[in-house]
Amino acid sequence: MDEIVAEFIRRTILKIPMYEMMTILKAWNFLSENQLQTINFRQRKECLVQDLVLLCEEKCASLNDAALLDIIYTQVHRHQKVWDVFQMSKKPDEDIDLFDMEQFKCSFKKILQRALKNVTVSFRDAEENAVWIRIAWGTQCTKPNQYKPTYVLLYPQTPYAFTSSKLKSFMPLLGQALTVASKHHQIVKMDLRSRHLDSLKAIVFKQCNQTFEDHNSITPLQERCLELDVNVDSRIIHENTVEKERVQRVTQETFGDYPQPQLEFAQYKLVTKFKSDLNGGILAERKEPLRCLIKFSSPHLLEALKSLAPAGIADAPLSPLLTCIPNKGMNYFKIRDK
Amino acid sequence: TAGILIPDLCVLAHLERLEAQVNKSHKKSEELQSAQAEESALETKIHQLRHIRDKLRAEVKQRQARANASSANVEPDQTVEISEQDVLERKQENMKAILQAYHFTGLSGKVTSRGVCVCISTAFEGNLLDSYFVDLVIQKPLQIHHHSIPVFIPLEKIAAKYLQTDIQHFLFSLCEYLNAYSGRKYQADQLQSDFAALLTGPLQRNPLCNLLSFTYKVDLGDRSFPFCARLLYKDLTRTLPTDVTVTYQGMEALSTAWEKHRASHETLFCTVPLHRVFASFSREGEKLDLSLS
């Protein structure tokens, strides 16, 4: 096991928090139960890591084994990275997609290896027939940098791939490899980005609302109506009940009853002319359009937007520019004058 | 059944096999008859039990009414009213049960405040499989509000073709795709769970279950014949493959007899559901052993 691999494994294991150590090592399945039992997991972390690396050395861990451990760590800590979404498309009348996983993996690797002699490509199959791909980039003459890899979560037989990459210069090559290996025609980057991979998936696969009215279940609407009637005290009069109910209804129609997908921001790039009700003014006379950037940030943007009207902070209905985010699958907008 | 795997050297052995086949088909029709008889017996029993239940319920209500009447000095007319209510309740329960049972037709729905929520319940060979929902908003143009159709089913394509012009065609087409997908998935799942022992490697599959690749072996005494099969389902509305290739994976050349087997396997995979083919393999495995001893 060479020094690069040893150091890479050491640094990867060091990142793992102690309470996750066993779970991740077991998922990695490289060190056996018996071997893990010989280690003292109560010692200081640096010593523990040293012992583990020694075990890996005894077992001759390869670069691919180390890459797999890195993939597992990333799967568990996916929210630490920001994920982009790519959408691939086929030509309109193309044949049925007969996706062959082995063929894809082989083709994908070949394309990257032909382009850059030095590149590490690793795969890990995931649930729902998806596959995680890790790429460490090198060049014709330099070895791959294992500490700035790109991760891809690909859903075969769907147009979508989710990527996280610190090195942006390799993205066109990555796009080409994904497209050709999965037998698509072209690839486009969506204006959608978030730390929450599962939310991105819910948005593009349109899986946000998964409650359906069925004769086998009571609708949540019926249940809520019952609740409202119970808390009425006839001595209390709400002056604006009508308006409150209208706001509730509009909010429910726009956002639904289900938990919103989690996004951290929405960004609007405006290239528009200034519009004002007042006559005159310096800005109104500008011939050139104004350029400005408006960014809404929140730990959970869509839930925050949903609570604006009921909290009385904004009028209902909210601007469609805000409410269209999950439906359009965008949180980056460029707005120009029509 | 087609697919004769044992090269017969002896007329007697052939006659024996024919006799065994006749006995088997007799047994099958007997089994079917007894299953049907059992079914109708159970149906009668259900009716009887329901009748008893209704009688008991009516009695309970009557007794309650009598108890209330005696304590509050109520007129005897009340008992007549209660049994009417009982009839209505039973009718309502019946109606609810029928609405719930509509699932079994494969296509059912419930009216919503915006339109209708359609439920497609898929099945294969009499097994009820997954259900999928499409919530439709009734307005011009007709819109899909939300759904639980898997991403790899071409919902947008089908909707673009039929949703606005012929909703029946839209629903039936969607049913076709979903039932076929469910059926293919069922076959692949069955192969993985029930016949893993006959496979010599993991089953390769994709989300749509329209490309399956696996290696299996046929044992004859102490000799093992490895094969590799590749099944392509180019028609997404069907549960049987459109292209099948079975290749022999051994080192030596294949004898003419075994070449016939290989070809017959190809035909089998094209015409019989996957798990049934393997069920017949595991049965014939026993037959092969017997013919040697």
Side-chain angles (χ1 to χ4, degrees), chain B residues 196-259:
Chain B
L198 288 169
L199 296 178
T200 55
L203 169 69
Q204 264 189 64
R205 55 197 282 183
N206 61 18
L208 266 170
C209 292
N210 68 349
L211 191 151
L212 299 177
S213 180
F214 51 90
T215 52
Y216 63 103
K217 55 184 165 63
V218 181
D219 287 324
L220 182 58
D222 55 347
R223 282 194 69 198
S224 202
F225 291 82
F227 290 100
C228 173
R230 200 173 154 85
L231 277 56
L232 303 176
Y233 300 72
K234 286 188 184 155
D235 185 347
L236 291 179
T237 61
R238 292 182 57 209
T239 52
L240 286 173
T242 49
D243 300 76
V244 173
T245 0
V246 176
T247 43
Y248 176 60
Q249 299 223 292
M251 301 297 284
E252 339 76 45
L254 205 51
S255 67
T256 21
W258 275 96
E259 171 53 36

Side-chain angles (χ1 to χ4, degrees), chain B residues 3-16:
Chain B
I4 306 193
L5 298 181
I6 305 175
D8 65 338
L9 303 162
C10 179
V11 174
L12 278 177
H14 184 62
L15 286 172
E16 258 178 40

Side-chain angles (χ1 to χ4, degrees), chain B residues 65 69 73-85:
Chain B
N73 245 336
V74 183
E75 292 161 49
D77 275 355
Q78 283 252 328
T79 51
V80 178
E81 278 176 36
I82 286 164
S83 70
E84 268 182 34
Q85 188 189 23

Side-chain angles (χ1 to χ4, degrees), chain B residues 24-42:
Chain B
K24 213 166 63 168
S25 64
H26 274 318
K27 243 177 86 178
K28 268 201 184 138
S29 60
E30 274 175 13
E31 278 172 17
L32 187 63
Q33 279 180 348
S34 63
Q36 283 176 339
E38 229 184 78
E39 204 183 277
S40 53
L42 285 171

Side-chain angles (χ1 to χ4, degrees), chain A residues 13-244:
Chain A
I13 302 181
L14 256 179
K15 282 197 294 190
I16 306 173
M18 282 309 290
Y19 62 88
E20 279 173 4
M21 191 64 77
M22 255 320 204
T23 349
I24 292 188
L25 288 175
K26 283 205 174 128
W28 188 31
N29 207 23
F30 176 73
L31 299 170
S32 68
E33 278 274 355
N34 293 332
Q35 285 176 305
L36 288 176
Q37 271 168 13
T38 64
I39 303 274
N40 174 13
F41 279 86
R42 285 184 221 249
Q43 53 184 320
R44 262 174 60 230
K45 199 172 183 188
E46 286 88 29
C47 304
L48 168 66
V49 174
Q50 248 173 12
D51 287 351
L52 286 167
V53 174
L54 273 170
L55 269 186
C56 292
E57 207 155 6
E58 273 170 42
K59 238 189 159 178
C60 302
S62 66
L63 184 55
N64 196 47
D65 296 315
L68 274 174
L69 180 61
D70 188 30
I71 294 179
I72 297 171
Y73 175 82
T74 309
Q75 283 177 289
V76 175
H77 293 265
R78 53 183 75 180
H79 54 280
Q80 285 176 358
K81 303 204 176 305
V82 179
W83 299 90
D84 290 309
V85 190
F86 283 85
Q87 187 176 28
M88 293 182 278
S89 53
K90 290 185 181 263
K91 287 209 199 100
D93 281 324
E94 250 174 55
D95 281 335
I96 300 285
D97 187 356
L98 292 156
F99 182 82
D100 185 333
M101 183 64 94
E102 294 311 311
Q103 223 174 56
F104 166 80
K105 287 180 183 174
C106 190
S107 178
F108 182 81
K109 214 170 181 169
K110 270 208 193 118
I111 295 171
L112 291 183
Q113 281 169 341
R114 247 182 270 146
L116 316 156
K117 207 166 66 163
N118 294 300
V119 66
T120 318
V121 182
S122 322
F123 302 95
R124 184 166 199 251
D125 290 338
E127 68 299 312
E128 292 177 293
N129 297 292
V131 60
W132 279 78
I133 313 173
R134 177 186 180 276
I135 307 121
W137 307 95
T139 64
Q140 297 290 339
C141 17
T142 58
K143 283 204 157 177
N145 181 352
Q146 301 298 336
Y147 299 98
K148 288 216 169 128
T150 298
Y151 302 93
V152 180
L153 175 57
L154 175 71
Y155 283 86
Q157 291 183 320
T158 80
Y160 301 106
F162 305 90
T163 67
S164 174
S165 192
K166 290 218 169 98
L167 299 173
K168 303 291 178 192
S169 54
F170 293 105
M171 294 315 277
L173 177 57
L174 174 64
Q176 193 188 20
L178 281 172
T179 317
V180 175
S182 65
K183 303 214 171 88
H184 281 91
H185 179 56
Q186 67 170 24
I187 187 167
V188 155
K189 183 159 176 237
M190 291 176 69
D191 291 319
L192 184 63
R193 181 183 293 172
S194 171
R195 287 183 183 275
H196 300 274
L197 195 47
D198 298 321
S199 291
L200 290 174
K201 194 175 144 230
I203 291 174
V204 295
F205 289 168
K206 304 216 183 289
Q207 286 170 345
C208 302
N209 184 1
Q210 290 295 291
T211 46
F212 299 93
E213 286 186 50
D214 195 14
H215 287 292
N216 293 327
S217 55
I218 315 172
T219 56
L221 205 60
Q222 292 171 344
E223 286 176 349
R224 270 193 305 130
C225 285
L226 297 169
E227 279 171 36
L228 283 171
D229 290 331
V230 171
N231 295 322
V232 169
D233 183 331
S234 54
R235 292 169 301 177
I236 300 174
I237 305 169
H238 290 284
E239 282 301 314
N240 57 347
T241 341
V242 175
E243 177 58 14
K244 258 195 167 170

Side-chain angles (χ1 to χ4, degrees), chain A residues 274-307:
Chain A
F274 186 78
K275 288 192 179 76
S276 167
D277 288 335
L278 311 162
N279 284 324
I282 308 167
L283 290 171
E285 285 169 6
R286 259 178 86 94
K287 290 202 200 86
E288 283 168 38
L290 284 173
R291 292 161 200 279
C292 69
L293 189 73
I294 301 176
K295 186 171 177 179
F296 295 89
S297 304
S298 165
H300 200 324
L301 182 72
L302 294 175
E303 283 292 343
L305 291 175
K306 183 177 175 183
S307 58

Side-chain angles (χ1 to χ4, degrees), chain A residues 206 209-217, chain B residues 103 106-110 112 116-122 129-136 144-150 155 170-171 174 178:
Chain A
K206 304 216 183 289
N209 184 1
Q210 290 295 291
T211 46
F212 299 93
E213 286 186 50
D214 195 14
H215 287 292
N216 293 327
S217 55
Chain B
H103 266 269
L107 187 60
S108 56
K110 184 174 182 202
T112 65
V116 64
C117 183
V118 177
C119 175
I120 298 173
S121 306
T122 59
L129 302 171
D130 292 324
S131 293
Y132 302 96
F133 296 89
V134 181
D135 190 301
L136 294 168
I144 299 175
H145 188 259
H146 62 288
H147 64 83
S148 66
I149 312 283
L155 176 63
F170 166 75
L171 289 172
L174 196 54
L178 287 170

Side-chain angles (χ1 to χ4, degrees), chain A residues 1-15:
Chain A
M1 187 165 94
D2 73 21
E3 300 228 337
I4 297 178
V5 178
E7 180 60 15
F8 180 33
I9 294 182
R10 191 186 74 84
R11 290 214 217 167
T12 310
I13 302 181
L14 256 179
K15 282 197 294 190

